[in-house]
Amino acid sequence: MKALIIGATGSTGEFLVDELLADNDYTVVTVFVRKSTGKQHSKLVEQIIDFSNIDSYKDLIVGDVLFSCLGTTLKAAGSKENQLKIDFDIPASFAKSAKENGVNSLVLLSAYGASSQSKVFYSQIKGKLEETIAALDFKQYIIFKPGLLLRKGSDRFAEKIMVSLLNATNKIGLFRKFKPLPTSLLAEKLAKAPKMLPAGKSVIELKEIFSF
């Protein structure tokens, strides 16, 4: 299979690239990035692009499965407008081009609680993206909806506090369904999904990811 990835330098995407490169079922791994990942591998193809002009690169979005892992925080984006571009506009444009170019499968890294009806901006745009991609009618569409992620070297203070609290409550049997998920493990599950799941739409909720 030929894999395509957006979000390859993110906290989950960087592990996903390594998973796909190590998996013999994937023969080519093409990443779309603003700058080089620094990785070297015979299967790796880096497409360094301008994400503000995706249509110019449409002919490069060709393969068997697109992994959509692009995302940011409001703090990092600087404004809701910029976050909308990163979390919705760019992934939606890539998905549209992939569908038009005959890509059969799309694996979307979404989020727990994502809903276009949510009053929370982040959850709302994630839900809107899920629906927009669903309307494209890929032969195989897989949505992962994890909760709090354990990111390597995270400097997000609030995230560290939540991880500590959830780990503590999990030890005494509370909030097990909100167990923090290492991004390395999530990447492993993402890589396996297109090979294990049937055609059609599949939604992998937080509580199912650990046993998937």
Side-chain angles (χ1 to χ4, degrees), residues 103-164:
V103 176
N104 289 325
S105 301
L106 189 144
V107 180
L108 174 65
L109 176 53
S110 186
Y112 179 80
S115 169
S116 62
Q117 305 304 311
S118 176
K119 294 182 180 180
V120 178
F121 182 69
Y122 177 79
S123 300
Q124 183 184 106
I125 56 178
K126 289 295 187 183
K128 183 179 177 183
L129 179 61
E130 289 182 10
E131 294 176 0
T132 298
I133 295 176
L136 295 173
D137 197 26
F138 280 85
K139 289 184 179 179
Q140 183 188 51
Y141 179 33
I142 303 166
I143 304 171
F144 276 79
K145 306 183 78 163
L148 186 65
L149 298 178
L150 289 172
R151 294 176 171 87
K152 180 182 68 176
S154 175
D155 59 355
R156 302 177 187 180
F157 178 74
E159 185 176 280
K160 289 181 178 179
I161 294 297
M162 283 301 298
V163 167
S164 296

Side-chain angles (χ1 to χ4, degrees), residues 12-210:
T12 300
E14 63 174 341
F15 285 111
L16 177 60
V17 173
D18 292 337
E19 287 288 337
L20 297 176
L21 291 175
D23 190 327
N24 291 332
D25 289 326
Y26 293 96
T27 56
V28 179
V29 179
T30 301
V31 298
F32 295 87
V33 289
R34 290 185 175 86
K35 60 182 180 180
S36 176
T37 63
K39 297 179 185 291
Q40 299 290 328
H41 196 283
S42 60
K43 295 196 301 186
L44 180 64
V45 177
E46 289 189 336
Q47 298 291 356
I48 300 176
I49 69 170
D50 176 3
F51 281 87
S52 66
N53 189 21
I54 295 170
D55 286 345
S56 297
Y57 308 97
K58 179 178 177 179
D59 291 345
L60 302 176
I61 307 174
V62 178
D64 298 301
V65 53
L66 170 62
F67 291 91
S68 182
C69 303
L70 195 63
T72 189
T73 62
L74 181 58
K75 181 179 179 180
S79 69
K80 287 186 175 181
E81 181 181 6
N82 286 338
Q83 188 176 22
L84 182 64
K85 289 178 182 177
I86 296 169
D87 279 64
F88 178 79
D89 292 345
I90 292 173
S93 294
F94 262 91
K96 182 175 181 292
S97 292
K99 175 63 178 180
E100 291 174 352
N101 289 347
V103 176
N104 289 325
S105 301
L106 189 144
V107 180
L108 174 65
L109 176 53
S110 186
Y112 179 80
S115 169
S116 62
Q117 305 304 311
S118 176
K119 294 182 180 180
V120 178
F121 182 69
Y122 177 79
S123 300
Q124 183 184 106
I125 56 178
K126 289 295 187 183
K128 183 179 177 183
L129 179 61
E130 289 182 10
E131 294 176 0
T132 298
I133 295 176
L136 295 173
D137 197 26
F138 280 85
K139 289 184 179 179
Q140 183 188 51
Y141 179 33
I142 303 166
I143 304 171
F144 276 79
K145 306 183 78 163
L148 186 65
L149 298 178
L150 289 172
R151 294 176 171 87
K152 180 182 68 176
S154 175
D155 59 355
R156 302 177 187 180
F157 178 74
E159 185 176 280
K160 289 181 178 179
I161 294 297
M162 283 301 298
V163 167
S164 296
L165 287 173
L166 286 173
N167 279 334
T169 54
N170 276 315
K171 289 180 180 179
I172 59 175
L174 299 175
F175 305 120
R176 288 192 181 278
K177 67 177 182 178
F178 298 115
K179 183 178 178 181
L181 175 66
T183 52
S184 56
L185 179 60
L186 176 56
E188 177 187 322
K189 307 297 186 178
L190 290 168
K192 290 167 54 179
K195 301 185 293 179
M196 296 179 62
L197 294 173
K201 180 180 176 181
S202 299
V203 179
I204 312 301
E205 299 283 358
L206 172 62
K207 62 183 179 180
E208 301 170 315
I209 295 175
F210 286 96

